[in-house]
Amino acid sequence: MLICEELFLLLRRDDGKPESAMAHRGYGLAAAIVTDLVVAERITLSDDKDPRMTVLVPGPVGHPALDAAMARLEQKDGKKLSSLVTDGKLAVEREVAVALEAAGTIDIEEKRALGLVPEKYPVRDPEPERRVRERLRAVLLGSTPTPADASLLCILQGLEVAPKVLEDESGALGRKDLKRRIAEISTDVVAGEAVAKAVAAMNVAMMTAVVVPIVVTSGN
């Protein structure tokens, strides 16, 4: 599965509702999409502190979510990562859901009551998410992380939901220890230079995207 598909499953309960009222859930999905496209070598990030994105190979990828994201990123060529993470048009949740439905992982329950009852995505096959959680549990206990593992953990930490979403997987790790372990994992990822750089940059971008609006709001 793609990183964005795995994140989608982690952020939703089996009944298809979000794990919690995550105001910034879309930031996480956009970050996952960008990382998927770096892994696929369709885009790359510069070495700047706030990296700029460059499209390497334009056009469709062959996955509904990545195709929609590529169309948007081709319009945003050269833009900073911080602006991409907060770009709502990159949080292509519906397209991710369509792909997961086609794979038999979830069902899509359409909006009801003139849109007052939102669309839901109940799980049809729990095995894919179970495998993701087992993988993350092993990584938190010391296994070597893949780019997907590091990305998922950094995004969950950036959204400030890692302790809740990974309550069972984190075992005896307290909130501070879990945060420290995820920081270690973000630097230990075994991957090519471009992907490792993307994971590290995404970690910073996610934290900035979530924390800055909170600080601004509290200061008003």
Side-chain angles (χ1 to χ4, degrees):
M1 283 197 301
L2 295 174
I3 297 168
C4 61
E5 293 173 324
E6 294 180 338
L7 182 69
F8 180 100
L9 295 175
L10 290 172
L11 293 181
R12 288 187 173 274
R13 305 186 319 223
D14 285 353
D15 64 2
K17 295 179 180 179
E19 281 284 0
S20 62
M22 299 174 191
H24 305 296
R25 189 173 70 243
Y27 296 176
L29 201 54
I33 288 279
V34 169
T35 308
D36 276 320
L37 288 169
V38 171
V39 172
E41 300 183 345
R42 301 300 296 265
I43 64 173
T44 189
L45 300 175
S46 70
D47 293 324
D48 302 292
K49 185 175 181 181
D50 186 0
R52 292 184 182 275
M53 180 277 303
T54 300
V55 173
L56 297 176
V57 183
V61 183
H63 183 284
L66 299 189
D67 289 351
M70 276 303 300
R72 179 62 174 169
L73 289 174
E74 286 171 31
Q75 301 173 1
K76 295 287 185 175
D77 203 0
K79 294 295 185 181
K80 292 183 178 180
L81 179 61
S82 57
S83 69
L84 298 179
V85 167
T86 56
D87 185 346
K89 291 186 178 180
L90 279 180
V92 287
E93 184 175 70
R94 189 53 162 71
E95 289 83 354
V96 174
V98 167
L100 288 171
E101 182 188 41
T105 306
I106 67 168
D107 291 316
I108 296 179
E109 293 183 0
E110 304 291 345
K111 295 178 182 178
R112 294 182 289 111
L114 300 178
L116 295 176
V117 177
E119 196 166 75
K120 290 198 304 183
Y121 311 111
V123 171
R124 188 192 313 170
D125 178 7
E127 186 61 19
E129 182 179 350
R130 188 197 68 77
R131 289 196 297 266
V132 174
R133 289 185 175 278
E134 281 301 313
R135 212 177 69 222
L136 295 181
R137 184 198 305 272
V139 169
L140 289 172
L141 291 175
S143 295
T144 302
T146 66
D149 299 330
S151 299
L152 288 169
L153 291 170
C154 287
I155 290 170
L156 291 174
Q157 184 61 50
L159 290 174
E160 301 184 339
V161 297
K164 176 177 176 59
V165 173
L166 301 174
E167 184 176 1
D168 293 335
E169 290 71 30
S170 56
L173 293 174
R175 184 178 290 265
K176 289 184 178 179
D177 290 333
L178 178 61
K179 184 176 182 178
R180 187 179 305 115
R181 176 61 185 141
I182 291 175
E184 292 172 356
I185 290 167
S186 69
T187 61
D188 291 344
V189 60
V190 177
E193 182 181 352
V195 177
K197 180 173 65 179
V199 172
M202 204 63 69
N203 192 25
V204 175
M206 280 298 305
M207 288 190 292
T208 302
V210 173
V211 171
V212 170
I214 293 174
V215 172
V216 171
T217 300
S218 63
N220 289 339

